Amino acid sequence: MSRELHLARGTTADANYTLDIDPKRAGWNHSSLRIVELSPGGTHTFTTGDSEWIILPLEGACTVRTEGNEFQLLGRESVFASVTDFAYVPRDAQAQIASGAGGRFALAGAKCERQLPARYGPAPEVPVEERGSGLCTRHVRNFASADAFDCDKLIAVEVITPGGNWSSYPPHKHDEHRPGVEAELEEIYYFEIDGPNGFGYQRVSPSREGGSDVLAEVRSGDAVLVPDGWHGPSVAQPGHDMYYLNVMAGPGRTREWRICFHPDHTEGYR
């Protein structure tokens, strides 16, 4: 059965979230992403269920209360301004997000088995790397990469692609379980573009007969689902930096990010 892989802004909105992608909506088994917008003085309470969650400020500050803990997230002015702090909320718990000045907050989630402790992730401890070179340079914030922050299944990173550059390049995939070589991971790309009327492009091409095939013009608030296939490049419009949040999870016993590059597009670009 075919599924819609490019989700334009507003198409998954409901009474609680401006974007709400759960496994049922995505047509898969593990990865989730929600965006909640709070007005000044607003609160949002949710039950984590069978998933672990990271609460990540996109714009603004908030207080997260869960399991007897209270975390003050300083947040940031925008996703283009800086790295942010964040909070981890375990499965089988209740959490509340409260914001005095209001803001927008991402909830990156993954179905999981272990109930890990609630924790605060300080912004200064987020590893940041410059990946690629030339017009393929991008800046990766590995706040919840597999080797930076402990989760049961969830992997999540942020990427800033300067205007006119390519990222997620060369095209790569992670849709097969091949121990030591490739991990099977479902992935969500959530986009924001700096400046009015900005846009970018996202490509997903088949890695198998009948596989995922997308070429989408993306704008702020859009998402692209990657259940399988070669993904990349992500292309930023000249003059408009592009942000995306990657949320990944899969069935593997070991939480790891192992990818396979497209053999036709690897020369000089890793």
Side-chain angles (χ1 to χ4, degrees):
M1 181 178 69
S2 64
R3 69 182 96 175
E4 186 178 5
L5 300 181
H6 175 215
L7 304 175
R9 179 176 182 173
T11 57
T12 68
D14 57 28
N16 295 313
Y17 303 105
T18 58
L19 178 144
D20 190 357
I21 300 171
D22 62 9
K24 182 178 180 181
R25 176 67 179 82
W28 56 34
N29 298 310
H30 304 282
S31 300
S32 297
L33 178 63
R34 300 168 175 169
I35 308 293
V36 61
E37 295 188 2
L38 297 180
S39 57
T43 63
H44 174 66
T45 300
F46 69 101
T47 301
T48 61
D50 61 1
S51 296
E52 58 187 347
W53 298 87
I54 283 180
I55 299 169
L56 182 80
L58 300 175
E59 179 182 340
C62 68
T63 300
V64 177
R65 299 181 179 92
T66 185
E67 298 290 277
N69 300 280
E70 181 173 293
F71 306 117
Q72 300 290 338
L73 303 189
L74 299 177
R76 53 190 168 184
E77 293 183 4
S78 78
V79 296
F80 298 101
S82 66
V83 173
T84 185
D85 50 0
F86 59 94
Y88 174 89
V89 180
R91 61 167 289 163
D92 300 319
Q94 188 174 72
Q96 182 194 69
I97 307 170
S99 181
R104 297 183 302 111
F105 307 95
L107 284 66
K111 286 189 177 181
C112 65
E113 298 171 1
R114 295 185 296 155
Q115 187 183 44
L116 302 179
R119 278 161 291 140
Y120 173 72
E125 294 183 12
V126 173
V128 179
E129 65 172 308
E130 184 175 287
R131 192 176 294 170
S133 61
L135 292 178
C136 289
T137 300
R138 60 274 199 189
H139 309 283
V140 184
R141 303 164 178 168
N142 292 298
F143 70 95
S145 62
D147 56 357
F149 188 82
D150 189 28
C151 299
D152 186 36
K153 297 291 186 181
L154 177 63
I155 298 172
V157 302
E158 299 179 301
V159 178
I160 300 291
T161 306
N165 281 18
W166 285 23
S167 61
S168 276
Y169 194 80
H172 58 282
K173 75 181 185 76
H174 40 68
D175 56 16
E176 295 181 84
H177 175 62
R178 296 189 293 158
V181 177
E182 184 177 351
E184 183 181 352
L185 297 167
E186 308 157 348
E187 185 164 14
I188 302 169
Y189 278 66
Y190 166 77
F191 295 90
E192 295 197 6
I193 311 296
D194 192 24
N197 304 313
F199 61 87
Y201 289 94
Q202 177 66 42
R203 180 71 170 120
V204 182
S205 56
S207 60
R208 63 187 71 160
E209 185 71 26
S212 297
D213 193 350
V214 179
L215 175 57
E217 181 178 294
V218 293
R219 298 178 181 269
S220 289
D222 287 9
V224 171
L225 306 180
V226 187
D228 59 79
W230 304 104
H231 37 294
S234 305
V235 182
Q237 178 189 11
H240 295 265
D241 291 352
M242 180 169 69
Y243 163 94
Y244 52 84
L245 169 62
N246 290 141
V247 179
M248 292 167 274
R253 293 184 179 181
T254 303
R255 174 177 172 254
E256 57 184 352
W257 186 67
R258 291 190 178 274
I259 64 173
C260 176
F261 288 103
H262 197 299
D264 294 340
H265 301 281
T266 56
E267 186 66 31
Y269 287 103
R270 294 189 188 180

